Amino acid sequence: AQRVTQPEKLLSVFKGAPVELKCNYSYSGSPELFWYVQYSRQRLQLLLRHISRESIKGFTADLNKGETSFHLKKPFAQEEDSAMYYCALSSWGGYQKVTFGTGTKLQVIP
Amino acid sequence: DAGVTQSPTHLIKTRGQQVTLRCSPKSGHDTVSWYQQALGQGPQFIFQYYEEEERQRGNFPDRFSGHQFPNYSSELNVNALLLGDSALYLCASSERETGTGVGYTFGSGTRLTVV
């Protein structure tokens, strides 16, 4: 079974402060990990995926297989980062099912 | 490209009725996945269609069924509606060849209210 846990429902930070959104996963194989974001009144969209090791809008995430974590980080929060963030997991190959966490609402205080 | 298109955007049904939701995937995508998102929750996987067949299924009862057409569009059917079926239903498309590794493209969803 695959499971994604996001322990924080709400994370409030001041503009310019560092951000870390936590994500832990449970999966018996080798997973693909993603972060999706939903801005106000917009549809859910992919933010980044671990296999690309890219930085999107200043956000990065490192897959830690030992701790089964995929935390999302940004050194300096911006007001436009306020949104709902979902961590997601998929199996490799085959007919992949993507499992989402419950989401963390990031609120950046001006 | 309009991306993923879902219809209708909102729907109100009475308990016990049946409902059909529709999804057109992004151009070039051949795989459609359906999710249920209850208020305050993350999307929950219902099932996935590829080549007009159900390929993966989540933990949902048989009241939830689907279909994929030759043009890759898809329908989600829910029979014998319960109050607990009230949720946002999301359609996500992807390309089988590249898998979900490049991520889903989501529709804006259908808000179903069961009264």
Side-chain angles (χ1 to χ4, degrees):
Chain A
Q2 44 192 77
R3 178 174 291 180
V4 177
T5 302
Q6 293 180 253
E8 303 141 327
K9 279 194 174 294
L10 173 66
L11 181 66
S12 297
V13 301
F14 286 100
K15 178 181 174 181
V19 174
E20 183 177 47
L21 299 171
K22 291 184 168 47
C23 172
N24 288 90
Y25 67 90
S26 173
Y27 184 64
S28 56
S30 189
E32 292 189 67
L33 275 298
F34 310 87
W35 278 97
Y36 281 81
V37 61
Q38 187 167 29
Y39 300 102
S40 180
R41 303 182 193 280
Q42 295 187 26
R43 56 185 71 185
L44 201 55
Q45 59 186 286
L46 179 67
L47 178 62
L48 56 79
R49 48 202 167 106
H50 89 273
I51 57 172
S52 62
R53 303 187 68 82
E54 55 199 346
S55 172
I56 304 294
K57 299 185 179 182
F59 284 98
T60 59
D62 289 320
L63 178 60
N64 185 324
K65 292 186 178 181
E67 296 182 359
T68 59
S69 68
F70 188 57
H71 303 328
L72 184 68
K73 299 178 183 180
K74 184 171 183 177
F76 307 104
Q78 302 298 316
E79 289 182 63
E80 57 265 30
D81 297 329
S82 295
M84 197 73 186
Y85 291 81
Y86 294 94
C87 183
L89 174 156
S90 170
S91 59
W92 283 96
Y95 296 103
Q96 299 150 330
K97 176 180 79 171
V98 179
T99 298
F100 287 82
T102 51
T104 298
K105 184 175 182 179
L106 175 64
Q107 183 180 61
V108 180
I109 304 165
Chain B
D1 180 14
V4 177
T5 304
Q6 290 188 244
S7 63
T9 53
H10 295 85
L11 204 52
I12 299 175
K13 288 287 189 178
T14 303
R15 190 172 46 182
Q17 284 189 314
Q18 178 264 343
V19 69
T20 297
L21 310 181
R22 295 178 176 82
C23 171
S24 292
K26 180 180 177 179
S27 178
H29 285 184
D30 54 13
T31 303
V32 173
S33 302
W34 285 93
Y35 285 80
Q36 181 194 66
Q37 187 174 22
L39 205 58
Q41 300 295 317
Q44 297 291 311
F45 178 77
I46 303 175
F47 43 53
Q48 181 184 83
Y49 276 84
Y50 171 72
E51 289 188 332
E52 303 178 47
E53 290 192 23
E54 183 182 293
R55 301 295 181 172
Q56 285 264 16
R57 190 177 181 91
N59 189 25
F60 279 79
D62 293 344
R63 299 186 297 108
F64 289 77
S65 63
H67 190 78
Q68 185 180 36
F69 300 93
N71 67 353
Y72 308 122
S73 66
S74 177
E75 289 182 348
L76 163 64
N77 301 292
V78 187
N79 294 321
L81 284 166
L82 304 174
L83 296 179
D85 295 332
S86 295
L88 181 68
Y89 288 84
L90 295 169
C91 173
S93 72
S94 55
E95 187 181 346
R96 171 83 175 102
E97 192 65 31
T98 55
T100 54
V102 295
Y104 282 149
T105 298
F106 277 91
S108 53
T110 294
R111 173 72 63 186
L112 173 65
T113 302
V114 182
V115 297

